[in-house]
Amino acid sequence: MAAVLFVLTSVAEQTSSHFESLDRDVLAMLRFPWFYRLGFALLVIGLVSGVLCGTRAGWTRHRSAFVVLATMALLLMTIDYLFIYSPLSEMLDPPGQARTPDFTSYHTASRRINEMGLFFSLLAAVVVCMPDSESSDSSETQDA
């Protein structure tokens, strides 16, 4: 939900007629470093938690799927940060410059890779919330 709110407010700022190009660049340069910091932190915490849970409680299909999906999301975010966002942010310095064709292609690539990362994160969240058939079978046995 937070990612959706982030995207919606960013799009609103970038398309608003209330901001000049310089303002939009400054807003992007303030906002996106926090996006990556928080994204990395949450994905690493989720991934480590998933691995620890699988190691201690046993690997099930859902736990394994969660770890794979979280790893994919983290890998995509890392690729985006290193090879797309970093050069893109350099194109915004100094703020207010005219957009080049390179900027547009990097921005499109960043948007697409972030959409894929969000998809993997959403799928991981759904998978981790699903009950494992192995754990529900064992709880039924314990209740009997």
Side-chain angles (χ1 to χ4, degrees):
M1 197 65 176
V4 172
L5 178 62
F6 176 86
V7 169
L8 291 175
T9 57
S10 294
V11 169
E13 289 170 356
Q14 295 299 315
T15 58
S16 172
S17 61
H18 293 76
F19 296 109
E20 299 293 325
S21 177
L22 175 69
D23 299 324
R24 287 192 286 265
D25 290 354
V26 169
L27 288 169
M29 292 177 77
L30 288 173
R31 181 170 290 198
F32 279 96
W34 287 102
F35 168 78
Y36 287 100
R37 286 180 196 131
L38 183 61
F40 281 125
L42 292 175
L43 284 170
V44 167
I45 290 168
L47 185 57
V48 169
S49 299
V51 168
L52 289 175
C53 184
T55 302
R56 293 182 181 202
W59 288 99
T60 62
R61 286 184 305 169
H62 289 124
R63 288 184 190 125
S64 298
F66 170 79
V67 168
V68 168
L69 291 166
T71 299
M72 291 299 297
L74 183 59
L75 181 62
L76 286 172
M77 182 172 263
T78 302
I79 290 168
D80 177 41
Y81 182 80
L82 293 175
F83 302 108
I84 301 171
Y85 168 73
S86 292
L88 191 60
S89 68
E90 289 175 8
M91 292 178 205
L92 292 177
D93 192 20
Q97 298 181 68
R99 301 288 190 255
T100 65
D102 281 346
F103 178 89
T104 303
S105 63
Y106 274 90
H107 187 266
T108 300
S110 182
R111 189 183 81 240
R112 288 187 180 146
I113 200 168
N114 278 302
E115 288 168 353
M116 289 189 299
L118 186 59
F119 174 74
F120 282 124
S121 297
L122 177 63
L123 216 52
V126 169
V127 166
V128 81
C129 291
M130 294 173 64
D132 281 314
S133 58
E134 295 95 347
S135 62
S136 62
D137 290 344
S138 65
S139 66
E140 287 173 10
T141 308
Q142 291 173 355
D143 292 339

Short mmCIF file of all heavy atoms in Angstrom, two decimals, residues 25-79:
data_model
loop_
_atom_site.label_atom_id
_atom_site.label_comp_id
_atom_site.label_asym_id
_atom_site.label_seq_id
_atom_site.Cartn_x
_atom_site.Cartn_y
_atom_site.Cartn_z
N ASP A 25 12.31 18.11 -10.49
CA ASP A 25 13.61 17.43 -10.36
C ASP A 25 14.05 17.37 -8.91
O ASP A 25 14.54 16.34 -8.44
CB ASP A 25 14.68 18.16 -11.19
CG ASP A 25 14.47 17.99 -12.68
OD1 ASP A 25 13.57 17.23 -13.09
OD2 ASP A 25 15.21 18.65 -13.44
N VAL A 26 13.89 18.47 -8.19
CA VAL A 26 14.29 18.51 -6.78
C VAL A 26 13.44 17.52 -5.98
O VAL A 26 13.97 16.77 -5.13
CB VAL A 26 14.19 19.94 -6.20
CG1 VAL A 26 14.34 19.94 -4.70
CG2 VAL A 26 15.24 20.84 -6.85
N LEU A 27 12.14 17.48 -6.22
CA LEU A 27 11.27 16.53 -5.52
C LEU A 27 11.70 15.08 -5.79
O LEU A 27 11.75 14.26 -4.88
CB LEU A 27 9.81 16.73 -5.93
CG LEU A 27 9.14 17.98 -5.38
CD1 LEU A 27 7.80 18.21 -6.07
CD2 LEU A 27 8.96 17.87 -3.87
N ALA A 28 12.02 14.78 -7.04
CA ALA A 28 12.46 13.43 -7.39
C ALA A 28 13.78 13.09 -6.70
O ALA A 28 13.97 11.98 -6.18
CB ALA A 28 12.60 13.29 -8.90
N MET A 29 14.69 14.05 -6.66
CA MET A 29 16.00 13.80 -6.04
C MET A 29 15.89 13.67 -4.52
O MET A 29 16.73 13.03 -3.89
CB MET A 29 16.99 14.88 -6.44
CG MET A 29 17.33 14.80 -7.93
SD MET A 29 18.44 16.11 -8.47
CE MET A 29 20.00 15.50 -7.84
N LEU A 30 14.87 14.27 -3.93
CA LEU A 30 14.64 14.11 -2.49
C LEU A 30 13.95 12.79 -2.18
O LEU A 30 14.24 12.13 -1.19
CB LEU A 30 13.77 15.26 -1.96
CG LEU A 30 14.42 16.62 -1.85
CD1 LEU A 30 13.38 17.67 -1.49
CD2 LEU A 30 15.54 16.60 -0.82
N ARG A 31 13.01 12.41 -3.01
CA ARG A 31 12.15 11.27 -2.73
C ARG A 31 12.79 9.91 -3.05
O ARG A 31 12.70 8.98 -2.26
CB ARG A 31 10.85 11.42 -3.52
CG ARG A 31 9.88 10.31 -3.28
CD ARG A 31 8.58 10.64 -3.87
NE ARG A 31 8.03 11.71 -3.05
CZ ARG A 31 6.78 12.05 -3.02
NH1 ARG A 31 5.94 11.45 -3.79
NH2 ARG A 31 6.34 13.01 -2.25
N PHE A 32 13.43 9.79 -4.20
CA PHE A 32 13.87 8.47 -4.63
C PHE A 32 15.00 7.85 -3.81
O PHE A 32 15.01 6.62 -3.64
CB PHE A 32 14.18 8.46 -6.13
CG PHE A 32 12.92 8.32 -6.94
CD1 PHE A 32 12.29 9.42 -7.45
CD2 PHE A 32 12.34 7.07 -7.11
CE1 PHE A 32 11.11 9.30 -8.16
CE2 PHE A 32 11.16 6.93 -7.82
CZ PHE A 32 10.54 8.04 -8.35
N PRO A 33 15.94 8.60 -3.27
CA PRO A 33 16.91 7.93 -2.38
C PRO A 33 16.22 7.24 -1.20
O PRO A 33 16.62 6.14 -0.80
CB PRO A 33 17.81 9.08 -1.92
CG PRO A 33 17.76 10.04 -3.05
CD PRO A 33 16.33 9.99 -3.54
N TRP A 34 15.16 7.85 -0.66
CA TRP A 34 14.42 7.22 0.44
C TRP A 34 13.65 6.00 -0.05
O TRP A 34 13.52 5.01 0.68
CB TRP A 34 13.48 8.24 1.08
CG TRP A 34 14.23 9.22 1.90
CD1 TRP A 34 14.55 10.50 1.56
CD2 TRP A 34 14.82 8.98 3.17
NE1 TRP A 34 15.29 11.08 2.56
CE2 TRP A 34 15.48 10.16 3.57
CE3 TRP A 34 14.86 7.88 4.03
CZ2 TRP A 34 16.16 10.28 4.77
CZ3 TRP A 34 15.54 8.00 5.23
CH2 TRP A 34 16.18 9.18 5.59
N PHE A 35 13.14 6.06 -1.26
CA PHE A 35 12.46 4.90 -1.85
C PHE A 35 13.39 3.70 -1.88
O PHE A 35 13.02 2.59 -1.48
CB PHE A 35 11.98 5.26 -3.27
CG PHE A 35 11.52 4.10 -4.08
CD1 PHE A 35 10.27 3.54 -3.89
CD2 PHE A 35 12.34 3.54 -5.06
CE1 PHE A 35 9.83 2.47 -4.65
CE2 PHE A 35 11.92 2.47 -5.82
CZ PHE A 35 10.66 1.93 -5.61
N TYR A 36 14.62 3.91 -2.34
CA TYR A 36 15.56 2.80 -2.43
C TYR A 36 16.04 2.35 -1.05
O TYR A 36 16.16 1.15 -0.80
CB TYR A 36 16.75 3.17 -3.33
CG TYR A 36 16.33 3.19 -4.78
CD1 TYR A 36 16.05 4.38 -5.43
CD2 TYR A 36 16.18 2.00 -5.50
CE1 TYR A 36 15.65 4.40 -6.75
CE2 TYR A 36 15.77 2.01 -6.82
CZ TYR A 36 15.50 3.21 -7.44
OH TYR A 36 15.09 3.22 -8.74
N ARG A 37 16.31 3.26 -0.14
CA ARG A 37 16.72 2.87 1.21
C ARG A 37 15.67 2.02 1.88
O ARG A 37 15.97 0.95 2.44
CB ARG A 37 16.98 4.11 2.07
CG ARG A 37 18.24 4.85 1.74
CD ARG A 37 18.42 6.07 2.65
NE ARG A 37 19.41 6.96 2.07
CZ ARG A 37 19.26 8.25 1.89
NH1 ARG A 37 18.15 8.86 2.28
NH2 ARG A 37 20.20 8.98 1.34
N LEU A 38 14.44 2.49 1.87
CA LEU A 38 13.36 1.75 2.51
C LEU A 38 13.10 0.44 1.79
O LEU A 38 12.90 -0.61 2.43
CB LEU A 38 12.09 2.60 2.56
CG LEU A 38 10.91 1.96 3.28
CD1 LEU A 38 11.24 1.69 4.74
CD2 LEU A 38 9.69 2.87 3.17
N GLY A 39 13.11 0.47 0.47
CA GLY A 39 12.89 -0.75 -0.30
C GLY A 39 13.93 -1.81 -0.01
O GLY A 39 13.59 -2.98 0.22
N PHE A 40 15.20 -1.42 -0.01
CA PHE A 40 16.27 -2.38 0.32
C PHE A 40 16.09 -2.92 1.74
O PHE A 40 16.20 -4.12 1.96
CB PHE A 40 17.65 -1.74 0.17
CG PHE A 40 18.13 -1.64 -1.25
CD1 PHE A 40 18.53 -0.42 -1.77
CD2 PHE A 40 18.19 -2.74 -2.09
CE1 PHE A 40 18.97 -0.30 -3.08
CE2 PHE A 40 18.64 -2.65 -3.39
CZ PHE A 40 19.02 -1.41 -3.89
N ALA A 41 15.84 -2.04 2.68
CA ALA A 41 15.70 -2.46 4.07
C ALA A 41 14.55 -3.47 4.22
O ALA A 41 14.72 -4.53 4.84
CB ALA A 41 15.47 -1.26 4.98
N LEU A 42 13.39 -3.15 3.67
CA LEU A 42 12.23 -4.05 3.81
C LEU A 42 12.44 -5.38 3.10
O LEU A 42 12.08 -6.44 3.64
CB LEU A 42 10.97 -3.36 3.30
CG LEU A 42 10.48 -2.17 4.12
CD1 LEU A 42 9.30 -1.50 3.44
CD2 LEU A 42 10.13 -2.60 5.53
N LEU A 43 13.03 -5.34 1.91
CA LEU A 43 13.26 -6.59 1.19
C LEU A 43 14.30 -7.47 1.90
O LEU A 43 14.14 -8.69 1.98
CB LEU A 43 13.67 -6.31 -0.25
CG LEU A 43 12.53 -5.88 -1.16
CD1 LEU A 43 13.07 -5.37 -2.50
CD2 LEU A 43 11.54 -7.01 -1.37
N VAL A 44 15.36 -6.85 2.40
CA VAL A 44 16.39 -7.63 3.11
C VAL A 44 15.80 -8.23 4.40
O VAL A 44 16.01 -9.41 4.70
CB VAL A 44 17.65 -6.78 3.40
CG1 VAL A 44 18.56 -7.47 4.40
CG2 VAL A 44 18.39 -6.49 2.10
N ILE A 45 15.04 -7.43 5.15
CA ILE A 45 14.41 -7.95 6.38
C ILE A 45 13.46 -9.10 6.05
O ILE A 45 13.47 -10.14 6.71
CB ILE A 45 13.68 -6.82 7.13
CG1 ILE A 45 14.69 -5.86 7.75
CG2 ILE A 45 12.75 -7.39 8.21
CD1 ILE A 45 14.09 -4.56 8.26
N GLY A 46 12.65 -8.93 5.02
CA GLY A 46 11.72 -9.99 4.62
C GLY A 46 12.45 -11.23 4.16
O GLY A 46 12.09 -12.35 4.54
N LEU A 47 13.49 -11.06 3.37
CA LEU A 47 14.24 -12.20 2.87
C LEU A 47 14.95 -12.95 4.00
O LEU A 47 14.87 -14.18 4.09
CB LEU A 47 15.25 -11.73 1.83
CG LEU A 47 16.05 -12.80 1.10
CD1 LEU A 47 15.13 -13.81 0.42
CD2 LEU A 47 16.96 -12.15 0.07
N VAL A 48 15.61 -12.22 4.89
CA VAL A 48 16.29 -12.86 6.03
C VAL A 48 15.27 -13.57 6.92
O VAL A 48 15.50 -14.71 7.35
CB VAL A 48 17.11 -11.83 6.83
CG1 VAL A 48 17.59 -12.39 8.16
CG2 VAL A 48 18.30 -11.34 6.00
N SER A 49 14.13 -12.94 7.16
CA SER A 49 13.08 -13.57 7.97
C SER A 49 12.58 -14.85 7.31
O SER A 49 12.36 -15.86 7.98
CB SER A 49 11.91 -12.61 8.17
OG SER A 49 12.34 -11.47 8.86
N GLY A 50 12.38 -14.80 6.00
CA GLY A 50 11.92 -15.98 5.28
C GLY A 50 12.93 -17.12 5.34
O GLY A 50 12.55 -18.28 5.54
N VAL A 51 14.19 -16.81 5.18
CA VAL A 51 15.24 -17.83 5.25
C VAL A 51 15.31 -18.42 6.67
O VAL A 51 15.39 -19.63 6.85
CB VAL A 51 16.60 -17.27 4.79
CG1 VAL A 51 17.74 -18.23 5.12
CG2 VAL A 51 16.57 -16.95 3.30
N LEU A 52 15.29 -17.55 7.68
CA LEU A 52 15.33 -18.04 9.07
C LEU A 52 14.12 -18.91 9.38
O LEU A 52 14.26 -19.96 10.03
CB LEU A 52 15.41 -16.87 10.05
CG LEU A 52 16.73 -16.12 10.09
CD1 LEU A 52 16.63 -14.91 11.01
CD2 LEU A 52 17.86 -17.04 10.52
N CYS A 53 12.95 -18.50 8.92
CA CYS A 53 11.74 -19.28 9.16
C CYS A 53 11.84 -20.64 8.48
O CYS A 53 11.51 -21.67 9.08
CB CYS A 53 10.52 -18.53 8.65
SG CYS A 53 8.96 -19.34 8.99
N GLY A 54 12.31 -20.65 7.24
CA GLY A 54 12.46 -21.92 6.53
C GLY A 54 13.50 -22.82 7.19
O GLY A 54 13.32 -24.03 7.28
N THR A 55 14.58 -22.22 7.68
CA THR A 55 15.64 -22.99 8.31
C THR A 55 15.18 -23.58 9.64
O THR A 55 15.47 -24.73 9.96
CB THR A 55 16.88 -22.10 8.54
OG1 THR A 55 17.29 -21.58 7.28
CG2 THR A 55 18.02 -22.87 9.16
N ARG A 56 14.43 -22.81 10.42
CA ARG A 56 14.00 -23.25 11.75
C ARG A 56 12.74 -24.09 11.73
O ARG A 56 12.62 -25.06 12.47
CB ARG A 56 13.81 -22.06 12.66
CG ARG A 56 15.12 -21.38 12.96
CD ARG A 56 14.95 -20.24 13.89
NE ARG A 56 16.25 -19.63 14.11
CZ ARG A 56 16.54 -18.89 15.13
NH1 ARG A 56 15.64 -18.65 16.04
NH2 ARG A 56 17.74 -18.38 15.25
N ALA A 57 11.77 -23.70 10.93
CA ALA A 57 10.47 -24.37 10.95
C ALA A 57 10.32 -25.40 9.83
O ALA A 57 9.35 -26.13 9.80
CB ALA A 57 9.35 -23.34 10.85
N GLY A 58 11.27 -25.44 8.92
CA GLY A 58 11.20 -26.38 7.81
C GLY A 58 10.78 -25.68 6.53
O GLY A 58 9.98 -24.75 6.56
N TRP A 59 11.32 -26.16 5.44
CA TRP A 59 11.03 -25.56 4.15
C TRP A 59 9.75 -26.16 3.58
O TRP A 59 9.65 -27.36 3.41
CB TRP A 59 12.19 -25.77 3.18
CG TRP A 59 13.36 -24.92 3.56
CD1 TRP A 59 14.46 -25.32 4.24
CD2 TRP A 59 13.51 -23.53 3.32
NE1 TRP A 59 15.31 -24.25 4.44
CE2 TRP A 59 14.74 -23.13 3.87
CE3 TRP A 59 12.72 -22.57 2.69
CZ2 TRP A 59 15.21 -21.83 3.81
CZ3 TRP A 59 13.18 -21.27 2.62
CH2 TRP A 59 14.42 -20.91 3.18
N THR A 60 8.80 -25.31 3.30
CA THR A 60 7.57 -25.72 2.63
C THR A 60 7.56 -25.05 1.26
O THR A 60 8.40 -24.19 0.98
CB THR A 60 6.33 -25.27 3.43
OG1 THR A 60 6.32 -23.85 3.50
CG2 THR A 60 6.33 -25.86 4.84
N ARG A 61 6.60 -25.42 0.44
CA ARG A 61 6.51 -24.81 -0.89
C ARG A 61 6.28 -23.31 -0.78
O ARG A 61 6.88 -22.53 -1.51
CB ARG A 61 5.38 -25.45 -1.70
CG ARG A 61 5.71 -26.83 -2.21
CD ARG A 61 4.61 -27.36 -3.06
NE ARG A 61 3.36 -27.30 -2.30
CZ ARG A 61 2.16 -27.49 -2.80
NH1 ARG A 61 2.03 -27.75 -4.07
NH2 ARG A 61 1.09 -27.43 -2.05
N HIS A 62 5.43 -22.89 0.15
CA HIS A 62 5.14 -21.47 0.29
C HIS A 62 6.35 -20.69 0.81
O HIS A 62 6.62 -19.59 0.34
CB HIS A 62 3.93 -21.24 1.20
CG HIS A 62 2.65 -21.64 0.57
ND1 HIS A 62 1.79 -22.55 1.14
CD2 HIS A 62 2.08 -21.28 -0.61
CE1 HIS A 62 0.76 -22.71 0.36
NE2 HIS A 62 0.91 -21.96 -0.72
N ARG A 63 7.05 -21.24 1.77
CA ARG A 63 8.24 -20.55 2.29
C ARG A 63 9.31 -20.45 1.22
O ARG A 63 9.95 -19.41 1.06
CB ARG A 63 8.78 -21.27 3.52
CG ARG A 63 7.90 -21.09 4.74
CD ARG A 63 8.49 -21.73 5.98
NE ARG A 63 7.49 -21.73 7.02
CZ ARG A 63 7.08 -22.81 7.67
NH1 ARG A 63 7.62 -23.98 7.42
NH2 ARG A 63 6.15 -22.71 8.59
N SER A 64 9.49 -21.52 0.48
CA SER A 64 10.48 -21.51 -0.61
C SER A 64 10.08 -20.50 -1.68
O SER A 64 10.92 -19.75 -2.18
CB SER A 64 10.61 -22.90 -1.23
OG SER A 64 11.07 -23.82 -0.27
N ALA A 65 8.80 -20.49 -2.05
CA ALA A 65 8.32 -19.54 -3.06
C ALA A 65 8.50 -18.11 -2.58
O ALA A 65 8.91 -17.23 -3.36
CB ALA A 65 6.85 -19.82 -3.39
N PHE A 66 8.21 -17.87 -1.31
CA PHE A 66 8.40 -16.52 -0.76
C PHE A 66 9.85 -16.08 -0.89
O PHE A 66 10.14 -14.96 -1.33
CB PHE A 66 7.96 -16.45 0.70
CG PHE A 66 8.37 -15.15 1.35
CD1 PHE A 66 7.64 -14.00 1.12
CD2 PHE A 66 9.51 -15.08 2.14
CE1 PHE A 66 8.03 -12.78 1.68
CE2 PHE A 66 9.91 -13.88 2.71
CZ PHE A 66 9.16 -12.73 2.48
N VAL A 67 10.79 -16.94 -0.52
CA VAL A 67 12.21 -16.60 -0.58
C VAL A 67 12.63 -16.33 -2.02
O VAL A 67 13.35 -15.36 -2.29
CB VAL A 67 13.07 -17.69 0.08
CG1 VAL A 67 14.55 -17.50 -0.22
CG2 VAL A 67 12.84 -17.70 1.60
N VAL A 68 12.17 -17.14 -2.95
CA VAL A 68 12.52 -16.93 -4.36
C VAL A 68 11.95 -15.59 -4.86
O VAL A 68 12.64 -14.81 -5.50
CB VAL A 68 12.01 -18.10 -5.23
CG1 VAL A 68 12.09 -17.77 -6.72
CG2 VAL A 68 12.80 -19.37 -4.93
N LEU A 69 10.68 -15.31 -4.55
CA LEU A 69 10.05 -14.07 -5.00
C LEU A 69 10.69 -12.84 -4.36
O LEU A 69 10.92 -11.83 -5.04
CB LEU A 69 8.55 -14.10 -4.71
CG LEU A 69 7.75 -15.11 -5.54
CD1 LEU A 69 6.36 -15.32 -4.94
CD2 LEU A 69 7.67 -14.67 -6.99
N ALA A 70 10.99 -12.91 -3.08
CA ALA A 70 11.65 -11.79 -2.40
C ALA A 70 13.06 -11.58 -2.96
O ALA A 70 13.50 -10.43 -3.12
CB ALA A 70 11.69 -12.03 -0.89
N THR A 71 13.75 -12.66 -3.28
CA THR A 71 15.08 -12.56 -3.88
C THR A 71 14.99 -11.89 -5.25
O THR A 71 15.81 -11.03 -5.58
CB THR A 71 15.73 -13.95 -4.00
OG1 THR A 71 15.86 -14.51 -2.70
CG2 THR A 71 17.10 -13.88 -4.67
N MET A 72 13.99 -12.27 -6.03
CA MET A 72 13.80 -11.66 -7.35
C MET A 72 13.53 -10.16 -7.21
O MET A 72 14.08 -9.35 -7.96
CB MET A 72 12.66 -12.35 -8.11
CG MET A 72 12.97 -13.76 -8.54
SD MET A 72 14.38 -13.86 -9.65
CE MET A 72 13.79 -12.93 -11.04
N ALA A 73 12.67 -9.78 -6.27
CA ALA A 73 12.36 -8.37 -6.06
C ALA A 73 13.62 -7.60 -5.65
O ALA A 73 13.87 -6.50 -6.14
CB ALA A 73 11.26 -8.21 -5.02
N LEU A 74 14.41 -8.18 -4.74
CA LEU A 74 15.64 -7.53 -4.29
C LEU A 74 16.65 -7.43 -5.44
O LEU A 74 17.31 -6.40 -5.60
CB LEU A 74 16.24 -8.30 -3.11
CG LEU A 74 17.50 -7.71 -2.48
CD1 LEU A 74 17.25 -6.30 -1.96
CD2 LEU A 74 17.98 -8.61 -1.35
N LEU A 75 16.76 -8.47 -6.23
CA LEU A 75 17.67 -8.46 -7.37
C LEU A 75 17.27 -7.37 -8.37
O LEU A 75 18.11 -6.61 -8.86
CB LEU A 75 17.69 -9.83 -8.03
CG LEU A 75 18.61 -10.00 -9.23
CD1 LEU A 75 20.06 -9.78 -8.82
CD2 LEU A 75 18.43 -11.38 -9.83
N LEU A 76 15.97 -7.28 -8.66
CA LEU A 76 15.50 -6.24 -9.59
C LEU A 76 15.76 -4.84 -9.05
O LEU A 76 16.18 -3.95 -9.79
CB LEU A 76 14.01 -6.43 -9.87
CG LEU A 76 13.65 -7.59 -10.80
CD1 LEU A 76 12.14 -7.77 -10.83
CD2 LEU A 76 14.20 -7.37 -12.19
N MET A 77 15.54 -4.65 -7.75
CA MET A 77 15.78 -3.33 -7.17
C MET A 77 17.27 -2.99 -7.22
O MET A 77 17.63 -1.84 -7.49
CB MET A 77 15.27 -3.27 -5.73
CG MET A 77 15.46 -1.90 -5.10
SD MET A 77 14.68 -1.73 -3.51
CE MET A 77 13.17 -0.94 -4.03
N THR A 78 18.12 -3.97 -7.00
CA THR A 78 19.57 -3.75 -7.05
C THR A 78 20.01 -3.38 -8.46
O THR A 78 20.78 -2.42 -8.65
CB THR A 78 20.32 -5.00 -6.55
OG1 THR A 78 19.89 -5.30 -5.22
CG2 THR A 78 21.82 -4.79 -6.58
N ILE A 79 19.51 -4.12 -9.45
CA ILE A 79 19.84 -3.82 -10.84
C ILE A 79 19.35 -2.42 -11.20
O ILE A 79 20.07 -1.64 -11.82
CB ILE A 79 19.22 -4.89 -11.78
CG1 ILE A 79 19.97 -6.21 -11.60
CG2 ILE A 79 19.27 -4.44 -13.24
CD1 ILE A 79 19.28 -7.40 -12.25
#
